[in-house]
């Protein structure tokens, strides 16, 4: 099932899903550096066009992201100006002050999104660490079957199950609540995160556990004091994906929340995007887009090795 | 697996302590009747294991297993938001295939979208993977930038695109105008094919970096010396690509295709937010139509039936994936 790949470059081949993140994440996905003669040859006439192409492509990829930032810094007057401008002629904090104006609802949306994302991360980390410990260190009756049920959750996307999920939430009395949303989000983060955590726990050598138990450690303190520090890379990967998926999720929040005061940021932005009286407040929408991108970009740039690792172990399953 | 973890652990220094403590603990005689112990211990262990997985399983049962069963049950009913549901057998399914043109059209549109975008993403992803293949700092920088749009949410990307390509205020318009070109971008939102293309450009921008990263991993699995040997033998780049590189990358290619196919079949945000189904439900995808039926018309039973049909479609794709992946192992 795993992708074959040359040994030196394997950043996260499925056999080492989270145990040891590669040194430089995206940089690490390279062929063996020994191929230097070829590289030297490439640095000739081809080199110039490679650089030109690269710079053009980078501009094209960065342009839309940049345009949200510049849009959020334009004054309302400049946004009305035709023909439109790309770079703001005068910098204006107007859209940003509206974003943080409580009457706009975006601040509330931001708070709700944070609550939901952090709640999902907390619950997912606890549950998937426990389950990873159970599946990774123990064999019990039905463990293979139960693990299969957990993994089945990866095959069936939650957007197809929203109709019955809304009925279940109503029956449990947690419909139209952030708690209900957290429970649903957590459930659909669990398959991937349990998969990651099970591999992390299974990678711990038995001798460590035996030694600790013989030294008189209780099972619980083995788990908390010895195992948990060892599976931190797995926990970080699980937390990153739980956060990003909860933070970015749109359809579930749109469907499962009906009270405006509970809307998460993407849902609030959707109401903004419809616009009042047919006029869209582009400045506010752009500022909202920038705010919703910030955590994603921060996580990606700061925790890149865990992020890329997670992608490869997710791909390898 | 163990090798990677051995670095932080380093169990070697305290082996001596371990040996002595083993003696101590056995002399203490924790469990009477040593030989009979294991079975008792094992049973205790299994209980610990089961206990540890229980909370996660509970949530999975309530919000995954129950909904799957409930969906099948609901699909056989007329199930309004409020009030009593009535059993109607397979009527919902009959209605989906005979009386609901929009549903059939949405399935068709979803398939068209999938068929168009999958090769685009694959070819573009592969091209980018070749482009950033050389190990250098600039390559890493390019890779990082190409991948960046993937990390933002689909909703955020859709809002962003709505602004970016807006016919009057957007940046594309600003750039085109400054280049002296007048293009009427209104059709990018309200006519079926222009709107589809606009969405495809957005999605390509957003996810091609992800495909690039996965394909790069596969590309690196192709041994350099084999390629060099082929080159010496006079194989041109096309021969090397189709005869050596692609066949050797097969597992990665299947994986990448499955990601884009299953992702495209579930498309929602990009159409809901950018085209809003215009014109006249012509850019409504299957998930979008299910959303409309269940949550704007509140016909939950019918929505459940459509979901079941959609699920069957997705399971067929998943089954094809497993068969394709198992295939190369056998030969």
């Amino acid at each position: 099932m795993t992708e074959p790949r040359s040994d030196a470059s394997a950043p996260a081949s499925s056999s080492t899903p989270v145990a040891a993140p590669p040194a430089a994440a995206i940089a690490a996905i390279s062929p063996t550096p020994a191929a230097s003669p070829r590289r030297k040859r490439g640095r000739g006439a081809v080199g110039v066009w490679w650089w030109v192409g690269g710079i053009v492509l980078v501009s094209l990829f960065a342009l839309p992201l940049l345009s949200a930032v510049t849009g959020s810094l334009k004054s309302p007057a400049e946004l009305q100006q035709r023909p439109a401008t790309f770079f703001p002629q005068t910098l204006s904090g107007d859209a940003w002050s509206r974003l943080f104006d409580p009457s706009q609802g975006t601040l509330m949306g931001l708070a709700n999104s944070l609550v939901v994302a952090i709640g999902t991360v907390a619950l997912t980390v606890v549950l998937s660490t426990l389950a990873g410990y159970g599946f990774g260190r123990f064999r019990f009756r039905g463990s293979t079957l139960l693990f299969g049920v957990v993994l089945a959750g990866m095959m069936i996307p939650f957007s197809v199950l929203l109709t019955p999920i809304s009925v279940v939430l109503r029956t449990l009395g947690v419909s139209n609540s952030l708690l209900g949303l957290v429970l649903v989000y957590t459930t659909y983060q669990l398959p991937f995160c349990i998969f990651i955590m099970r591999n992390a726990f299974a990678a711990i050598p038995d001798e460590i556990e035996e030694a600790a138990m013989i030294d008189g450690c209780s099972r619980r303190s083995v788990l908390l004091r010895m195992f948990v520090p060892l599976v931190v890379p797995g926990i970080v990967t699980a937390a990153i994906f739980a956060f990003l998926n909860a933070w970015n999720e749109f359809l579930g929040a749109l469907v499962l929340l009906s009270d405006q005061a509970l809307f998460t940021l993407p849902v609030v932005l959707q109401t903004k995007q419809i616009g009042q009286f047919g006029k869209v407040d582009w400045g506010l929408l752009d500022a909202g887009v920038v705010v919703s991108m910030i955590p994603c970009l921060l996580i990606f740039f700061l925790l890149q090795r865990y992020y890329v690792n997670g992608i490869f172990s997710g791909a390898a399953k | 697996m163990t090798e990677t973890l051995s670095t932080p652990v380093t169990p070697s220094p305290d082996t001596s302590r371990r040996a002595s403590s083993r003696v101590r603990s056995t002399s203490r005689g924790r469990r009477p009747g040593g030989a009979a112990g294991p079975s008792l211990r094992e049973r205790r262990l299994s209980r610990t294991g089961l206990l540890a997985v229980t909370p996660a399983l509970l949530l999975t049962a309530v919000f995954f297993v129950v909904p799957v069963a409930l969906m099948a049950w609901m699909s056989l009913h007329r199930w309004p938001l409020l009030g009593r549901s009535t059993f109607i057998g397979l009527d919902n399914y009959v209605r989906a295939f005979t009386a609901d043109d929009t549903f059939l059209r949405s399935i068709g549109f979803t398939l068209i979208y999938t068929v168009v975008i999958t090769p685009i993403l694959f070819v573009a992803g592969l091209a980018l993977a070749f482009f950033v293949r050389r190990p250098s700092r600039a390559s890493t920088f390019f890779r990082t930038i190409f991948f960046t749009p993937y990390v933002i949410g689909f909703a955020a990307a859709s809002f962003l695109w709505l602004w970016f390509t807006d016919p009057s205020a957007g940046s594309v318009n600003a750039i085109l105008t400054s280049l002296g070109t007048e293009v009427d971008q209104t059709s990018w939102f309200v006519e079926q094919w222009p709107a589809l293309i606009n969405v495809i450009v957005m999605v390509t921008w957003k996810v091609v970096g992800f495909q690039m990263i996965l394909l790069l991993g596969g590309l690196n699995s192709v041994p350099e010396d084999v390629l060099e040997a082929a080159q010496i033998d006079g194989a041109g780049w096309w021969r090397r690509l189709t005869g050596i590189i692609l066949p050797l990358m097969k597992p990665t290619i299947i994986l990448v295709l499955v990601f884009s196919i299953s992702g495209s079949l579930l498309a929602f945000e990009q159409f809901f937010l950018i085209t809003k189904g215009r014109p006249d439900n012509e850019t409504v995808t299957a998930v979008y139509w299910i959303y409309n039926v269940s949550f704007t018309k509140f016909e939950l039973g019918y929505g459940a039936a459509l979901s079941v049909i959609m699920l069957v479609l997705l399971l067929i794709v998943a089954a094809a994936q497993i068969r394709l992946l198992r295939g190369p192992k056998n030969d």
Side-chain angles (χ1 to χ4, degrees), chain B:
Chain B
M1 221 181 264
T2 44
E3 175 222 310
T4 49
L5 262 169
S6 63
T7 341
V9 177
T10 52
S12 39
D14 46 27
T15 25
S16 56
R17 213 180 109 228
R18 204 162 85 198
S20 68
S21 63
R22 176 172 289 148
V23 177
R24 219 190 313 131
S25 74
T26 37
S27 66
R28 213 196 293 147
R30 271 193 312 172
R31 198 178 292 118
S39 79
L40 190 111
R41 184 163 169 258
E42 245 165 45
R43 225 183 306 153
R44 234 198 54 137
L45 291 188
S46 348
R47 241 191 46 208
T48 316
L50 194 60
L51 220 61
V53 302
T54 299
L57 286 177
L58 211 66
L59 216 56
T60 306
V62 173
F63 293 105
F64 174 64
V65 179
V66 167
V68 170
L70 183 62
M71 177 170 68
W73 176 245
M74 284 171 78
S75 75
L76 304 174
H77 291 74
R78 183 174 298 118
W79 196 295
L81 187 63
L82 302 165
R84 207 172 282 272
S85 55
T86 41
F87 185 85
I88 54 168
L90 294 173
D91 281 8
N92 282 327
Y93 293 95
V94 174
R95 178 181 161 195
F97 286 112
T98 58
D100 189 350
D101 286 346
T102 317
F103 173 64
L104 294 179
R105 201 155 21 123
S106 75
I107 292 271
F109 180 72
T110 310
L111 291 177
I112 290 174
Y113 170 69
T114 305
V115 167
V116 173
I117 199 165
T118 300
I120 292 178
L121 282 178
F122 175 72
V123 172
L126 190 65
L128 285 182
F130 272 109
F131 187 78
V132 297
R133 194 179 178 208
R134 285 189 291 174
S136 73
R137 283 217 188 131
S139 264
T140 307
F141 171 70
F142 291 161
R143 284 175 201 176
T144 310
I145 298 295
F146 298 160
F147 188 81
T148 303
Y150 181 71
V151 304
I152 69 173
F154 244 106
S158 303
F159 294 129
L160 176 60
W161 212 256
L162 212 54
W163 150 253
F164 187 61
T165 60
D166 183 74
S168 53
S171 304
V172 169
N173 183 257
I175 293 164
L176 289 178
T177 316
S178 70
L179 293 174
T181 352
E182 285 289 330
V183 179
D184 182 19
Q185 289 167 238
T186 320
S187 65
W188 297 7
F189 297 91
V190 297
E191 279 173 35
Q192 189 180 24
W193 277 97
L196 177 62
I197 290 166
N198 194 19
V199 167
I200 284 173
V201 173
M202 186 282 268
V203 175
T204 305
W205 166 75
K206 180 166 160 31
V207 301
V208 75
F210 172 70
Q211 303 239 333
M212 171 197 76
I213 287 289
L214 290 183
L215 288 168
L216 195 59
L219 203 54
N220 290 333
S221 68
V222 180
E224 197 72 27
D225 45 352
V226 175
L227 288 176
E228 265 162 33
Q231 196 166 11
I232 291 163
D233 286 349
W237 73 269
W238 180 252
R239 274 302 302 278
R240 271 175 288 156
L241 179 70
T242 54
I244 302 172
I245 299 176
L246 292 183
L248 285 175
M249 281 175 69
K250 196 175 163 193
T252 313
I253 292 173
I254 293 168
L255 186 82
V256 161
L257 291 181
V258 165
F259 268 117
S260 67
I261 291 172
S262 52
S264 311
L265 290 177
L266 290 168
F268 172 75
E269 278 95 340
Q270 55 269 49
F271 291 100
F272 181 75
L273 294 173
I274 296 178
T275 75
K276 302 178 179 69
R278 291 172 299 201
D280 191 27
N281 285 343
E282 274 176 33
T283 55
V284 164
T285 58
V287 172
Y288 192 164
W289 186 240
I290 293 173
Y291 161 83
N292 268 349
V293 167
S294 286
F295 301 106
T296 61
K297 300 173 185 233
F298 297 110
E299 298 184 51
L300 298 184
Y302 185 50
L306 299 186
S307 303
V308 171
I309 297 169
M310 191 62 201
L311 196 60
V312 170
L313 199 68
L314 289 166
L315 289 180
I316 291 172
V317 173
Q321 164 195 17
I322 291 168
R323 266 198 67 176
L324 282 171
L325 277 176
R326 293 247 168 99
K329 251 184 201 167
N330 296 339
D331 48 59

Side-chain angles (χ1 to χ4, degrees), chain A residues 244-305:
Chain A
L244 288 178
N245 288 332
W247 177 261
N248 287 332
E249 209 283 330
F250 176 71
L251 177 55
L254 179 74
V255 161
L256 300 175
L257 301 171
S258 49
D259 190 348
Q260 286 233 359
L262 297 175
F263 283 179
T264 56
L265 188 58
V267 184
V268 174
L269 291 181
Q270 194 253 334
T271 64
K272 295 285 158 199
Q273 168 259 312
I274 296 167
Q276 279 177 313
F277 317 114
K279 236 167 93 185
V280 184
D281 184 347
W282 288 117
L284 182 64
L285 189 67
D286 283 342
V289 166
V290 173
V291 165
S292 36
M293 294 191 309
I294 286 173
C296 311
L297 298 179
L298 278 181
I299 287 175
F300 172 56
F301 287 116
L302 297 179
L303 301 170
Q304 200 186 91
R305 60 171 76 166

Side-chain angles (χ1 to χ4, degrees), chain A residues 122-134:
Chain A
L123 197 56
T124 304
V125 163
V126 171
L127 294 189
S128 63
T129 304
L130 273 174
Y133 172 64

